[in-house]
Amino acid sequence: MRADSRKNMALRIDILTLFPEMFTPVLGTSIPKRAAEKGLVSYHLTNIRDFATDNHKSVDDKPFGGGPGMVMMCQVLFDAVAKVEAEDDRPARRIILSPQGKPLTQALAQELAAEKRILMIAGHYEGFDERIIDGLKPMELSIGDYVLSGGELAAMVVVDTIVRLLPGALGAEDGAADETFADGLLEYPQYTRPREFGQMVVPEVLLSGDHRKIAQWRHEQRMLRTRERRPDLWQEYLQRNPDALEPKKKKR
Ligand code: SAM
């Protein structure tokens, strides 16, 4: 395959941030790095401060009406988005990282992994002038019900979650099919050598070589775990799978 056609197939992820250097170790390691090397994704970091026009390189100002902290200003963000979006013909799915946003879930990550281009904006300080959200109409996305100092770590979480879902990003041996949340259930317990560790032994069935039994045991374990640990997910699973038997709690 020619290099330019591979490039067009790759998901393009633009990240607008005040701290691009924070991304280097994460995007340059492990699966995010390998996915880029395989041509599945390309990362483009833009420093929002490069779009400041005054001598102080200001990107924020005090909130109207008073209150603590600083608010990120409109012009720099609108200019940065316009410049970055013009770099590629593909329309970008705009995302602003925000604790007030839609919660990131595996289902949403799967939806985002099907996009051709994603543009994420990481906030800082007290957040954004509301007109940035009104004008750019991004999806506001939260990685959880807690407040980070900035959107960079959140953006990295989103990138990692999406990139590992791109076809070919994971090797066959560590595929995402059975993973936690893949079909609304948590993953089954895993074991590796040694068979005995002190008093703790690997469940007999996993050593049996009987693949049908192993698959059945794993599925039961997934249901048990989900019912015990995440009753919310378990109820949703039961609604989608009304025939799923209520698993009996088994000794492992
Ligand atoms: N004042 C804002 C509020 O109360 O909603 C919080 C601003 S927070 C200190 C600064 C930036 O960190 C946000 O603009 C956002 O980009 C990012 N951030 C913080 N928590 C986040 C979360 N849970 N998910 C995604 N981004 C988050």
Side-chain angles (χ1 to χ4, degrees), residues 20-36:
E21 66 279 7
M22 283 179 72
F23 290 84
T24 312
V26 171
L27 302 183
T29 308
S30 186
I31 289 164
K33 178 187 179 195
R34 290 211 312 264

Side-chain angles (χ1 to χ4, degrees), residues 120-131:
M120 282 192 273
I121 304 173
H124 247 273
Y125 317 118
E126 281 307 308
F128 302 94
D129 185 313
E130 192 64 20
R131 292 167 293 183

Side-chain angles (χ1 to χ4, degrees), residues 29-51:
T29 308
S30 186
I31 289 164
K33 178 187 179 195
R34 290 211 312 264
E37 286 171 350
K38 287 179 186 172
L40 305 174
V41 62
S42 63
Y43 310 113
H44 304 262
L45 290 158
T46 298
N47 192 332
I48 296 168
R49 204 174 289 283
D50 291 346
F51 294 83

